[in-house]
Amino acid sequence: DTAVSQTPKYLVTQMGNDKSIKCEQNLGHDTMYWYKQDSKKFLKIMFSYNNKELIINETVPNRFSPKSPDKAHLNLHINSLELGDSAVYFCASSQGVGTSGYNEQFFGPGTRLTVL
Amino acid sequence: GNSVTQMEGPVTLSEEAFLTINCTYTATGYPSLFWYVQYPGEGLQLLLKATKADDKGSNKGFEATYRKETTSFHLEKGSVQVSDSAVYFCALSPYSGGYNKLIFGAGTRLAVHP
């Protein structure tokens, strides 16, 4: 199926650990995103990559490091996990960066991260 | 700056009732406006969009009109169904040098009862 997929779906870990979340899209898009949804359902963009180049970095702690090995993949690595990192993390993709309009973003199913 | 304000939920309605979810925005320039829907346990799906003033977005019986004079993009549906129960997010994409960034409201949970 063509889609945006994320692994794992659930991630439970201890404070201080390092973990990664993976995202893959097979829609042929060239732009990918990470969003964080907190416990109150508030969604905020974290990062965006276009053709493997970082184009959006929204005041996210240095403990979060995105990596895009190719256009179809955008991974999120988190060092020294804290309680406040508990959230649902959504990956999304779109075609292009919409210089004069908007190109729809397609979202993955989310990864629920719980830090104990 | 850019921001989106939505009415707080939850909104609880009976099947076939009329739905309005209010959304207002603050933006520089001429943003595009969207409604996304999140069904339980799923990711977000684009419900409808409008890219300029007075545009009306519509899909699956839902409608919203881009009102520049009131900086609003209220979501409406004439007759809701139980299957419409979800969280609805209003969002804008500012024109910011071509970066395709979405800024979301806090979301409004809709619960429709038979």
Side-chain angles (χ1 to χ4, degrees):
Chain A
D1 288 344
T2 55
V4 180
S5 59
Q6 295 179 227
T7 53
K9 191 169 174 63
Y10 300 96
L11 183 53
V12 181
T13 188
Q14 300 287 330
M15 258 195 322
N17 284 351
D18 303 337
K19 291 292 178 185
S20 292
I21 306 171
K22 296 186 176 182
C23 178
E24 176 181 3
Q25 55 92 4
N26 60 5
L27 297 165
H29 292 164
D30 61 3
T31 307
M32 297 184 73
Y33 313 80
W34 278 111
Y35 288 86
K36 179 180 179 181
Q37 185 176 45
D38 64 23
S39 58
K40 297 184 178 179
K41 295 287 189 183
F42 189 68
L43 266 161
K44 188 165 182 194
I45 190 166
M46 300 172 69
F47 302 103
S48 177
Y49 272 74
N50 173 254
N51 284 316
K52 302 193 297 176
E53 182 182 343
L54 181 67
I55 56 172
I56 296 175
N57 184 345
E58 291 279 314
T59 59
V60 178
N62 291 338
R63 297 182 296 103
F64 290 79
S65 52
K67 284 191 171 49
S68 181
D70 55 57
K71 287 195 305 183
H73 295 85
L74 180 61
N75 303 323
L76 183 65
H77 188 76
I78 315 171
N79 289 326
S80 303
L81 278 155
E82 301 177 356
L83 293 176
D85 298 332
S86 295
V88 181
Y89 292 85
F90 286 100
C91 178
S93 72
S94 70
Q95 179 54 36
V97 293
T99 54
S100 59
Y102 174 80
N103 293 330
E104 181 181 349
Q105 293 184 25
F106 292 80
F107 284 76
T111 295
R112 182 176 295 278
L113 170 65
T114 303
V115 182
L116 303 175
Chain B
N2 299 300
S3 65
V4 176
T5 303
Q6 286 181 240
M7 63 187 286
E8 284 193 29
V11 173
T12 304
L13 295 173
S14 298
E15 209 164 22
E16 299 184 2
F18 184 86
L19 168 71
T20 300
I21 300 178
N22 289 339
C23 171
T24 56
Y25 67 90
T26 303
T28 52
Y30 304 97
S32 296
L33 301 175
F34 311 88
W35 278 99
Y36 274 81
V37 58
Q38 184 178 25
Y39 297 103
E42 297 184 11
L44 281 78
Q45 302 173 26
L46 180 63
L47 181 60
L48 53 85
K49 68 180 182 184
T51 57
K52 61 183 188 297
D54 300 325
D55 268 2
K56 178 186 280 189
S58 60
N59 186 24
K60 300 181 182 179
F62 290 89
E63 291 184 340
T65 301
Y66 188 145
R67 302 278 188 207
K68 193 167 184 294
E69 64 277 11
T70 54
T71 61
S72 64
F73 193 55
H74 304 322
L75 182 68
E76 295 182 337
K77 186 176 185 183
S79 175
V80 293
Q81 305 301 311
V82 172
S83 57
D84 293 327
S85 299
V87 181
Y88 292 82
F89 292 91
C90 186
L92 69 83
S93 182
Y95 178 71
S96 55
Y99 293 159
N100 213 10
K101 183 166 80 171
L102 281 172
I103 295 167
F104 287 93
T108 302
R109 183 179 298 278
L110 170 66
V112 181
H113 298 291

